[in-house]
Amino acid sequence: MQSKVNNQTNQLRWVILLLAIAVILPTVCLLWFMTQAVKNESLAIRQKLIDSYAGRAQEIFFKYPDGFINDQNNFSASVIYDQNDKIIYPVHSIQNTTVLSDALQKVWKLEYSDKNFDEAIKQYKSIADTSSTVEVIYECQTAIARCFVKQNKITEAIEEYRKLAYPDSNTINKNLPPAQIAPAGLMLAEMYSKVNHKDLPKELQKQLSDSTGLIIPTETRIFVLSRLIDLAKTNGLAETLKTEIQTAQKIIDSDSISLMATDYLEKHSDLKPFPQGVFRKIEGRQSVYGIHFKSSGRNRLELLTPEKMSQFWQKNADDFTDKLVFCRIYDDKGLQIAGDRTVEGELFSTLNLKNHFAGFKAELCLQAGVFKEAANRQMLIYIWVAAIVISLMLISSLLAGRAVLRQAKLNKLKNDFIATVTHELKTPLSSMRVLVDTLLEGRCQTKQQETEYLQLISKENIRLSKLIDNFLTFSRMERNKQAFDIAPASPVEIANNAAEAVQTKFEKANVRFSLNILKPLPMINADKDAMVTVLVNLLDNACKYSNDNKHIELNVFAENNSVCFAVKDNGIGLTRRQTKKIFDRFYQVDTSLSRQAEGAGLGLSIVKFIVDAHKGKIDVESKPDKGSIFKITLPIIKSQAGEM
Ligand code: ADP
């Protein structure tokens, strides 16, 4: 027996182990496949991104920038060469080669050392009157005006500067070069400003407009224009002369850029580092980008400030940027000129820009986290799928395990059943055989003894039939074939029938039996015969498990829309633990062979099965040596519920 149990546990262990392997192995494989799939997915996503952005990058980094040079307005300044490759713009200051006469130098001494301004003015005038050189006359006239200023004779100074700024066609001044007229114009405006002259706005306007068009040394033009703007501003004319100031400012800016570029170009003397039509950075006092063009044998360098270059590329970089990608642009010197500098991203492609921007580079990057996000999303899907598959596998293996366990239990039940049936049938059969043998052999002495033996045989027979009945009911129950004939039935009739069935037995066993029916009782839906079987089983048990002086009651009463049948005895009772088990099949409290009561431990499981089929319930109240109450509660027919 022991080895059989061991064998079964071993088998069960194997089954559980196999089931575990059946779950664990596919799970591990699934997880491995998933990680591989996620890896492949990341590569695929990266490739997809590169492909999808390649077209857009083509437009933004190659096509648009080519049109850039067509618009002259895009450029900030230029350097222009003549046919001999001499820079003609920006214009450089003319060296003053005029050798001034000794006479003039003497007058300077009077002006600067002796501060004898009246005498100096007189002598400057006489030199001017006798000279026929335009530079000498210009020098004298500016000196006279200067002396008047020093004497604070502003009206006289204004007169002198006006002669220079507005040369009379009859005088020699008409030959004055613009490079000298412009500073004189500025001085005239300065004098007007000093005396708050009413003509100041007009004069400033004229000087600002004239100076922009003059071909004068670029540095002089920057100086004159800046000073004129200052004058306009300090005299509260910034608003009135807004347009003129703006134009002048633009010229100052582009002049400065051009000058800056020539600083560098003079040092390097030629345009070698400038392949035609390609932007190159010029690193002078301040950096500037230049692009070299040659047309009709003349060289020209168009200039672009780093700010403008950055602006242009930033616009393109912005066009390219979206939720997934962004870019960084680098110039020919490798300096980043556009694109986000701070954002971290993953580089997925580097483009070498072409044509006018050859030497420039664009780095295309994935926004930080985007890639991870996509991969994470995919991962989440995989995790879900895996979780579902694993749970399905677990559930199915649990179900399989349960089925296996149930099968094992059923096998055990069958074995128990056979063992119990054999054991229970053997006892009455062997006692019947002994009695029959005795009768056959004619060993009975009296007729009375013969009758007694026959009665004993009949009793054993009845017991045997009852036992077989129970087995059959149980067997049908197991196959779920016990079909009940449920119909409205009277609880009184059921109780009476049961009482009748046990009457003879109880009389013989000296049982004090009382049947208490608390009328009126409503009808119940029940299989009458099955319910009688239930009560007979309970009453039988009450009798079987009571010692001498048996007192058994069957109480029938109505309670909360139900009818109760309570079988009460003063028998051996049950412990709480036993109470929980008595409805299990084949369970018996006393399993010793010497036990008095007959039965196979099936009675109460049959009772519970029938009560459950009637949607009722069974409660047990019991204490060892104090007796037990088995109470069955069955619902009454619904239509009567209200009447109660
Ligand atoms: P059996 O055929 O052994 O009577 P039952 O299923 O009817 O099987 O009962 C199961 C066990 O419950 C019994 O073996 C007995 O030990 C216990 N039992 C049943 N009814 C009573 C009762 N009224 N008082 C005490 N013990 C009881």
Side-chain angles (χ1 to χ4, degrees), residues 537-538 541-542 544-545 569 571-574 582 584 587-590 595 598-605 622 628 630:
N537 257 307
L538 293 179
N541 278 354
K544 270 197 300 188
Y545 303 107
D569 65 50
I572 58 170
L574 293 155
I582 49 173
D584 293 350
Y587 178 80
Q588 291 178 315
V589 174
D590 181 5
R595 78 189 199 110
E598 73 239 18
L602 287 174
L604 285 182
S605 57
S622 185
S628 322
F630 284 78

Coordinates of all heavy atoms in Angstrom, one line a residue, residues 537-538 541-542 544-545 569 571-574 582 584 587-590 595 598-605 622 628 630, ligand 1:
N537 N -31.5 8.5 5.3 CA -30.0 8.4 5.5 C -29.6 9.1 6.8 O -28.9 8.6 7.6 CB -29.3 9.1 4.4 CG -28.7 8.0 3.4 OD1 -28.0 7.1 3.8 ND2 -29.1 8.2 2.1
L538 N -30.2 10.3 7.0 CA -29.9 11.1 8.2 C -30.4 10.4 9.5 O -29.7 10.3 10.5 CB -30.4 12.5 8.1 CG -29.8 13.4 7.0 CD1 -30.5 14.8 7.0 CD2 -28.3 13.6 7.3
N541 N -28.3 7.4 10.2 CA -27.0 7.8 10.9 C -27.3 8.1 12.3 O -26.5 7.7 13.2 CB -26.4 9.0 10.2 CG -25.6 8.6 8.9 OD1 -25.5 7.4 8.7 ND2 -25.2 9.5 8.1
A542 N -28.4 8.9 12.6 CA -28.7 9.3 13.9 C -28.8 8.0 14.8 O -28.3 8.0 16.0 CB -30.0 10.1 14.0
K544 N -27.5 5.0 14.0 CA -26.2 4.2 14.0 C -25.2 4.8 15.0 O -24.5 4.1 15.6 CB -25.6 4.3 12.6 CG -26.1 3.2 11.7 CD -25.2 3.0 10.5 CE -25.2 4.2 9.6 NZ -24.5 4.0 8.3
Y545 N -25.2 6.2 15.0 CA -24.1 6.8 15.8 C -24.6 7.3 17.2 O -24.2 8.4 17.6 CB -23.4 7.9 15.0 CG -22.9 7.3 13.7 CD1 -23.4 7.6 12.5 CD2 -21.8 6.5 13.8 CE1 -22.9 7.0 11.3 CE2 -21.3 5.9 12.6 CZ -21.9 6.2 11.4 OH -21.4 5.6 10.2
D569 N -30.2 14.1 17.2 CA -29.9 12.9 18.0 C -29.1 13.2 19.2 O -28.6 14.3 19.4 CB -29.2 11.8 17.1 CG -27.8 12.3 16.7 OD1 -27.0 12.7 17.6 OD2 -27.5 12.2 15.5
G571 N -26.6 11.3 20.1 CA -25.5 10.3 19.9 C -24.1 10.8 20.3 O -23.9 11.7 21.0
I572 N -23.2 10.2 19.5 CA -21.7 10.4 19.9 C -21.2 11.7 19.5 O -20.2 12.2 19.9 CB -20.9 9.2 19.3 CG1 -21.0 9.2 17.8 CG2 -21.2 7.9 19.9 CD1 -20.0 8.3 17.1
G573 N -21.9 12.4 18.5 CA -21.5 13.7 18.1 C -20.2 13.7 17.3 O -19.6 12.6 17.0
L574 N -19.8 14.9 16.9 CA -18.6 15.0 16.0 C -17.7 16.2 16.5 O -18.3 17.2 17.0 CB -19.0 15.3 14.6 CG -19.7 14.2 13.8 CD1 -20.6 14.7 12.7 CD2 -18.8 13.2 13.3
I582 N -17.2 15.1 6.9 CA -18.1 14.0 6.8 C -18.9 13.9 5.5 O -19.4 12.9 5.1 CB -19.2 14.0 8.0 CG1 -19.8 15.4 8.1 CG2 -18.6 13.5 9.3 CD1 -20.9 15.5 9.1
D584 N -17.4 14.3 2.6 CA -16.5 13.7 1.6 C -16.8 12.3 1.3 O -17.2 11.6 2.3 CB -15.0 13.8 2.0 CG -14.6 15.3 2.1 OD1 -15.3 16.2 1.6 OD2 -13.5 15.5 2.7
Y587 N -15.6 9.0 3.5 CA -15.1 9.5 4.8 C -15.9 8.8 5.9 O -17.1 8.8 6.0 CB -15.1 11.0 4.9 CG -14.6 11.4 6.2 CD1 -13.2 11.5 6.5 CD2 -15.4 11.7 7.3 CE1 -12.7 11.8 7.7 CE2 -14.9 12.1 8.5 CZ -13.6 12.1 8.8 OH -13.1 12.5 10.0
Q588 N -15.1 8.3 6.8 CA -15.8 7.7 8.0 C -14.9 8.1 9.2 O -13.7 8.1 9.1 CB -15.8 6.2 7.9 CG -16.8 5.7 6.9 CD -16.9 4.2 6.7 OE1 -15.8 3.6 6.7 NE2 -18.1 3.7 6.7
V589 N -15.5 8.5 10.3 CA -14.8 8.9 11.5 C -14.0 7.7 12.0 O -12.8 7.7 12.2 CB -15.7 9.6 12.5 CG1 -14.9 9.9 13.8 CG2 -16.3 10.9 12.0
D590 N -14.8 6.6 12.2 CA -14.2 5.4 12.7 C -13.9 4.5 11.6 O -14.8 3.9 11.0 CB -15.2 4.8 13.7 CG -14.6 3.6 14.4 OD1 -13.4 3.2 14.1 OD2 -15.3 2.9 15.1
R595 N -15.4 -1.6 14.0 CA -16.5 -0.6 14.2 C -17.8 -1.3 14.1 O -18.0 -2.2 13.2 CB -16.3 0.6 13.3 CG -16.7 0.4 11.9 CD -16.3 1.6 11.0 NE -17.1 1.5 9.8 CZ -18.1 2.4 9.5 NH1 -18.4 3.3 10.4 NH2 -18.8 2.3 8.4
E598 N -22.5 -0.3 10.2 CA -22.3 -0.6 8.8 C -22.3 0.6 7.9 O -22.7 1.7 8.4 CB -23.3 -1.6 8.3 CG -24.7 -1.0 8.1 CD -25.8 -1.6 8.9 OE1 -25.5 -2.3 9.9 OE2 -26.9 -1.4 8.6
G599 N -21.9 0.5 6.7 CA -21.9 1.7 5.8 C -20.5 1.8 5.1 O -19.6 1.2 5.6
A600 N -20.5 2.6 4.1 CA -19.3 2.7 3.3 C -18.8 4.2 3.2 O -18.0 4.5 2.4 CB -19.6 2.2 1.9
G601 N -19.4 5.0 4.0 CA -19.0 6.4 4.0 C -19.5 7.2 2.8 O -19.0 8.2 2.4
L602 N -20.6 6.7 2.3 CA -21.2 7.3 1.1 C -22.5 8.1 1.4 O -22.9 9.0 0.7 CB -21.5 6.3 0.0 CG -20.3 5.7 -0.7 CD1 -20.7 4.6 -1.6 CD2 -19.6 6.8 -1.5
G603 N -23.2 7.7 2.5 CA -24.5 8.2 2.8 C -24.5 9.7 2.8 O -25.4 10.3 2.1
L604 N -23.6 10.4 3.5 CA -23.7 11.9 3.6 C -23.3 12.5 2.3 O -23.9 13.6 2.0 CB -22.8 12.4 4.7 CG -23.4 12.1 6.1 CD1 -22.5 12.7 7.2 CD2 -24.8 12.7 6.3
S605 N -22.4 11.9 1.5 CA -22.1 12.5 0.2 C -23.3 12.4 -0.7 O -23.5 13.4 -1.5 CB -20.8 11.9 -0.4 OG -21.0 10.6 -0.6
S622 N -22.9 20.1 15.9 CA -22.5 18.8 16.7 C -21.4 19.1 17.6 O -20.5 19.9 17.4 CB -22.2 17.7 15.7 OG -22.0 16.5 16.4
S628 N -26.0 15.5 17.7 CA -25.8 16.3 16.5 C -27.2 16.7 16.0 O -28.2 16.1 16.2 CB -25.1 15.5 15.4 OG -24.1 14.7 15.9
F630 N -28.6 17.7 12.1 CA -28.3 17.9 10.7 C -29.5 18.6 10.1 O -30.7 18.1 10.2 CB -28.2 16.5 10.0 CG -26.9 15.9 10.2 CD1 -26.6 15.2 11.4 CD2 -25.9 15.9 9.2 CE1 -25.3 14.6 11.6 CE2 -24.6 15.3 9.4 CZ -24.4 14.7 10.6
Ligands
ADP1 P1 -21.5 5.8 6.8 O1 -21.9 4.8 5.7 O2 -20.2 5.5 7.4 O3 -22.5 6.1 7.8 P2 -22.0 8.5 6.1 O4 -21.5 9.2 4.8 O5 -23.4 8.4 6.2 O6 -21.2 7.1 6.0 O7 -21.3 9.2 7.3 C1 -20.0 9.5 7.3 C2 -19.5 9.5 8.7 O8 -20.0 10.6 9.4 C3 -19.8 8.4 9.4 O9 -18.9 7.3 9.3 C4 -19.9 8.9 10.9 O10 -18.6 8.7 11.5 C5 -20.2 10.3 10.8 N1 -21.6 10.5 11.1 C6 -22.7 10.6 10.3 N2 -23.8 10.9 10.9 C7 -23.5 11.0 12.2 C8 -24.2 11.3 13.4 N3 -25.5 11.6 13.4 N4 -23.6 11.4 14.6 C9 -22.2 11.2 14.6 N5 -21.5 10.9 13.5 C10 -22.1 10.8 12.4

